[in-house]
Amino acid sequence: MSWKSLDEIYLKESANKKVDLLPRQKVNIFFEDTNLFRGEGDNYEFVGAVDDKDYRKIVNIVKKEGDKSIEKLVQQSRFVGQTRYVKNFLADFDVNYGEVEILSQIKQKLNSITGSIGGAQGELSLHQAIFPVLEKILANETQEKIEQFYNSLFVKSFAEGNVSVGDGELLLSLFTECFKGDVGDLKTPSGLNVELKVGKGRIISARGGGFKNDLDKLKEFAQKPDLTIEDLQEAKFTGDVMKKAFANSSILQQFISQNVTDPNQRMQHFAGIMLNEYGKEGFDIVMFVYQKGFSRKAGEFMGEGTFDKARYLNVTNYSNILNAINNSFIAFDFDGDGVYIGYPGSNVNAKFKKDLKLS
């Protein structure tokens, strides 16, 4: 038999295979007696056996190359400051580092998100976008462990300098074609800026009850029978986005022409006017992700579809926002701290997230 070192087989031979074939199909390590085999299915070729000392060398070779692959993947995500965290996170799972290397080579050629967000609005499954990648990287893990990986990484939030990075941003930046955005939370290779809102995220923020006065004015206008453009333009709103939003005569005319009289529906339209202005910060797409939590008494803490069901809305055109409101495609909420956008039925608060984080 012609003998080859494992690093030659694993790192060199698998690198020459087509990207849709798993390196784990080429080399398998059977921990019993540290026998090494190559092949797939039930057709294996015995490569050799090593003692414990040599086996540890092999593990170090694979780990070293795996670290390099992770570094390349994290660099493409543009969250370089999270490199150590990602390495440590992956170390808790049985990771196929050869598949991580392949992902690092083809990441920006993926179409899992951009292929689903064409048009004015739509719905997608984040599980369907990301799980096929995770099922290759975690080929030897159970479905339960893959779901744990997904959920635990999804709720990873942190600060990069003065910028807060929210739920889902790191996960999507690593395992889809998206990466950290310059304006929005995410950016696609084609240049779309995507703002990600999980549960219900603020589009207008004035924490500490600073939005209360503006909110009271909006509620008054929602009840006014003969509401006019002049009423809205002459209101002395305090927030900068509010001032700009309700100074736009063209947008206000489009709203008034809807002849909305129901106070609750008017409040939704007021939020749409603010969303239109919010989008001018440079966002093309707002993607809102379903999040539902229950009390412990309910017997389960997370609703079905949480961190999976997502909707997107192209906010570069106010008519898109109008249609989404009229079709109840989006839902807005208000409190003294601001205005929230979300997938209909989502919770704002998600105390259950602490149960998803790895200790």
Side-chain angles (χ1 to χ4, degrees), residues 100-120:
V100 175
E101 171 62 23
I102 289 174
L103 177 60
S104 74
Q105 295 173 8
I106 66 170
K107 175 176 162 32
Q108 293 195 17
K109 296 179 182 179
L110 298 175
N111 197 36
S112 52
I113 298 297
T114 49
S116 301
I117 58 173

Side-chain angles (χ1 to χ4, degrees), residues 16 47 57 72 101 128 142 144 261 330 334:
N16 293 326
V47 177
K57 289 181 180 179
K72 286 192 286 186
E101 171 62 23
Q128 290 179 14
T142 64
E144 182 180 5
T261 57
I330 52 177
F334 304 80

